[in-house]
Amino acid sequence: MRPIGVFDSGVGGLSVLRQIRAALPGEDLLYVADSGHAPYGTRPQRFIESRSIAIAEFLVAQGAKALVVACNTATAAAIAALRGKFDLPVVGMEPAVKPAVEATRSGVIGVLATGGTLESAKFASLVERFGSRSRVIVQPCPGLVEQVEKGDLAGIATRDLLERFLRPLLDQGADTVVLGCTHYPFVAPLLREMAPGVALIETGGAVSRQLARRLDEEALLAGRQGGGTERFWTSGDPRQLADLLPRLWGCAAPVERLP
Ligand code: DGL
């Protein structure tokens, strides 16, 4: 009956938390938004690794039985260190290159992600393993995480940024776009409006299924079909996260300051 610890550089991981809640309605969930240090996408790998370890230590001290790194950038930078340090299931995420390559009809896929993810060795190996049958166009999205952190999901500034990031992908014939950062599913409605014929692929569902499998293997599932609770912490402004929760999580909830 111990909780599952989930974290991200900020509010993006809430897109993953929603999928975890849908897949595992009986689990208690702890969520840490490291919004005081977002975005991670332009930070050095060592910084992201030490933040990830500090947050994981906090979640384990709260009793977490498993960790979900609900952040592509932190997974690329820190999952090896987390798995080396903590003796519990650690589930991470990576851009859905393989499903996109299987889905594309034009043979061109676009990957929207942070610079940190796109420049990582993990991403290079992903493209090498699965990307050879298609053309893979990568597009870093500086500024987009900040817009989502502010809750600007459809305003002019966000629209302008997306237009700039989408245009090169569309011009080169991409029919499938990978949302390779957990903040981006929150602008999926705007992306669909701007590129109606393009398939958007995200990873939250696959991650929650992987989490369920890992918990089952380790006999760690809570064993009830509903009634799971959530607790939220942020290293940023708790009021700001509390204001965003109804939109990004689906209902209001108390938010605590991360010690
Ligand atoms: N949600 C993080 C990810 O998936 C955003 C990274 C950032 O803070 O730049 O990559």
Side-chain angles (χ1 to χ4, degrees):
M1 289 304 292
R2 279 153 56 213
I4 298 164
V6 182
F7 75 92
D8 177 45
S9 63
V11 297
L14 293 170
S15 67
V16 181
L17 199 73
R18 293 207 296 208
Q19 306 266 14
I20 295 174
R21 171 51 72 231
L24 297 166
E27 298 290 338
D28 292 336
L29 306 176
L30 312 176
Y31 184 85
V32 172
D34 198 14
S35 296
H37 301 94
Y40 279 2
T42 47
R43 301 276 199 178
Q45 190 251 341
R46 290 285 295 275
F47 177 88
I48 301 170
E49 195 178 284
S50 82
R51 286 303 305 156
S52 299
I53 289 172
I55 294 167
E57 276 168 350
F58 171 76
L59 289 167
V60 168
Q62 301 296 317
K65 63 184 172 186
L67 296 172
V68 178
V69 187
C71 176
N72 293 263
T73 313
T75 300
I79 196 130
L82 291 171
R83 289 197 172 126
K85 207 169 158 58
F86 298 96
D87 186 20
L88 75 187
V90 182
V91 176
M93 50 201 314
E94 58 190 14
V97 172
K98 187 174 176 224
V101 167
E102 283 161 5
T104 180
R105 282 183 305 243
S106 69
V108 184
I109 71 162
V111 182
L112 302 176
T114 67
T117 296
L118 296 174
E119 284 155 22
S120 67
K122 252 180 141 3
F123 183 73
S125 133
L126 195 62
V127 173
E128 200 180 295
R129 277 179 292 144
F130 303 116
S132 57
R133 282 193 288 124
S134 301
R135 209 168 136 225
V136 181
I137 307 169
V138 300
Q139 176 63 58
C141 303
L144 189 51
V145 163
E146 290 90 325
Q147 292 303 110
V148 176
E149 287 290 311
K150 280 193 283 191
D152 182 350
L153 307 184
I156 305 273
T158 302
R159 201 173 272 270
D160 285 352
L161 275 178
L162 286 181
E163 172 64 31
R164 187 139 49 85
F165 300 143
L166 266 181
R167 182 53 44 208
L169 307 184
L170 300 180
D171 286 349
Q172 292 174 79
D175 67 348
T176 307
V177 170
V178 176
L179 304 182
C181 165
T182 54
H183 283 72
Y184 303 168
F186 290 119
V187 293
L190 189 53
L191 284 168
R192 273 191 214 102
E193 183 197 313
M194 296 169 81
V198 166
L200 302 178
I201 305 205
E202 56 176 288
T203 330
V207 167
S208 54
R209 287 191 293 278
Q210 169 69 0
L211 171 65
R213 263 195 304 274
R214 291 287 290 116
L215 292 176
D216 192 25
E217 277 166 18
E218 306 283 332
L220 286 172
L221 283 165
R224 58 177 183 190
Q225 293 315 309
T229 61
E230 303 88 27
R231 265 182 93 177
F232 298 92
W233 288 266
T234 180
S235 61
D237 178 359
R239 261 178 324 172
Q240 192 175 337
L241 178 54
D243 286 348
L244 286 173
L245 280 180
R247 267 198 297 159
L248 303 187
W249 167 244
C251 61
V255 177
E256 296 162 67
R257 189 180 299 281
L258 186 69

